[in-house]
Amino acid sequence: MIRAHIFYSGRVQGVGFRFTVQRTAADLGLRGWVKNLPDGRVEILAQGDREKIIRLCQALEQHFQGYIKDKNIDFVPAQGNYPDFDIAF
């Protein structure tokens, strides 16, 4: 199990991005959260199988093609316990 801290920038707020992240991550069995940042980016903390985290990113990048400008992702060992995948406010 691994944890990914992911930031997406571009036109990623106000287009259903967080809801798509939450639904897709939950379908993949990932745990964690997604939230909008004041600077216009979206932050994701996803914990689970590395392959599933990569599949989450691929699905988002395909679904929001043309909206995403940049992605930054860091993988670290899993920490903490998240009961499900939530939208944080």
Side-chain angles (χ1 to χ4, degrees), residues 2-53:
I2 198 157
R3 182 172 79 174
H5 199 195
I6 310 162
F7 293 90
Y8 279 103
S9 65
R11 189 170 163 222
V12 292
Q13 291 189 14
V15 294
F17 197 90
R18 289 178 301 153
F19 299 102
T20 303
V21 171
Q22 191 275 330
R23 185 181 64 244
T24 306
D27 288 348
L28 289 167
L30 297 172
R31 308 284 188 228
W33 47 261
V34 57
K35 68 178 178 179
N36 285 341
L37 297 176
D39 65 4
R41 295 179 299 157
V42 170
E43 179 180 12
I44 302 168
L45 187 131
Q47 192 161 284
D49 184 65
R50 184 183 184 104
E51 170 69 27
K52 290 181 180 182
I53 293 170

Side-chain angles (χ1 to χ4, degrees), residues 19-89:
F19 299 102
T20 303
V21 171
Q22 191 275 330
R23 185 181 64 244
T24 306
D27 288 348
L28 289 167
L30 297 172
R31 308 284 188 228
W33 47 261
V34 57
K35 68 178 178 179
N36 285 341
L37 297 176
D39 65 4
R41 295 179 299 157
V42 170
E43 179 180 12
I44 302 168
L45 187 131
Q47 192 161 284
D49 184 65
R50 184 183 184 104
E51 170 69 27
K52 290 181 180 182
I53 293 170
I54 291 169
R55 286 174 48 199
L56 169 66
C57 292
Q58 290 171 338
L60 293 172
E61 290 159 22
Q62 181 179 14
H63 186 81
F64 291 99
Q65 187 176 10
Y67 291 87
I68 295 171
K69 179 180 176 188
D70 192 34
K71 173 181 80 173
N72 183 289
I73 185 168
D74 290 312
F75 289 100
V76 297
Q79 299 174 347
N81 187 17
Y82 303 95
D84 49 22
F85 203 97
D86 294 316
I87 296 174
F89 296 96

